[in-house]
Amino acid sequence: MTLRWYSTVIESSDHRALAHWWSDALGWEVIFEDDEEAAVVPPWARELEPKLPFEQVPPGLVFVAVDHEKQGKNRLHLDFAPHTTDDRDATIERLVALGARRVDIGQGPDVSWEVLADPDGNEFCILSAREH
C-alpha cells in the first residue's frame, strides 16, 4: 500500500487571503476556494499529474477557515531553500515586502536559516541556498 502526501493543511482566520499570499510567495496557483477552504498547488503539478504515478504527484497547501487566531509557536513548519543561483537575501526581502515578518523563536544568531512568519503568524524558514 502506498500513501501520497496529498497536502499540508494550514488553519487561518482569513483562509482566502492567506492562500493568495502563499500563491504569490511561492509562484503557485490557487486552484480552489470556497467559504471553508482554499487550495494552492505548484503550477507544474497539474501538468505532471497525468504522467506520474499517484504517489509521486506533488502535494499542495490547503488553507481552512477557523474562527480563532494562531496562538504559540508552530509544532510543524515549512522549510524552503533557494537555489544557489538565486539571491537568498533578495528572496527574504521579497517575502517581507509581500507581508511576511522576521520572527525570533529562539534560533540564535549563528544559524544558517531565517525564520519568517506569514501574515497569519505561521512560522516558516528560508534555508541556505542548495543545489538539489
Side-chain angles (χ1 to χ4, degrees):
M1 177 181 352
T2 302
L3 289 176
R4 171 181 161 197
W5 177 10
Y6 193 79
S7 64
T8 299
V9 178
I10 301 170
E11 295 181 345
S12 175
S13 57
D14 189 349
H15 68 287
R16 290 177 194 256
L18 196 59
H20 284 274
W21 186 88
W22 277 102
S23 173
D24 291 343
L26 296 173
W28 288 14
E29 301 172 347
V30 177
I31 60 163
F32 175 81
E33 60 184 299
D34 67 13
D35 291 340
E36 300 298 320
E37 66 182 21
V40 180
V41 299
W44 58 88
R46 296 196 323 174
E47 175 187 326
L48 292 176
E49 186 172 11
K51 302 172 188 172
L52 293 174
F54 174 79
E55 67 276 4
Q56 292 180 359
V57 175
L61 297 173
V62 175
F63 301 87
V64 297
V66 295
D67 60 1
H68 59 276
E69 299 294 323
K70 178 185 172 289
Q71 296 179 9
K73 180 181 170 289
N74 291 5
R75 293 190 68 179
L76 172 76
H77 69 266
L78 303 173
D79 283 348
F80 299 98
H83 190 266
T84 55
T85 59
D86 293 330
D87 182 336
R88 177 179 172 267
D89 293 336
T91 298
I92 292 169
E93 292 309 317
R94 182 182 68 82
L95 293 169
V96 169
L98 285 173
R101 63 182 175 17
R102 290 175 170 85
V103 294
D104 181 354
I105 58 167
Q107 65 268 29
D110 297 328
V111 297
S112 62
W113 62 87
E114 180 96 26
V115 182
L116 301 176
D118 69 17
D120 238 24
N122 301 299
E123 297 97 7
F124 62 98
C125 293
I126 303 298
L127 308 176
S128 58
R130 312 287 163 104
E131 277 293 321
H132 300 282

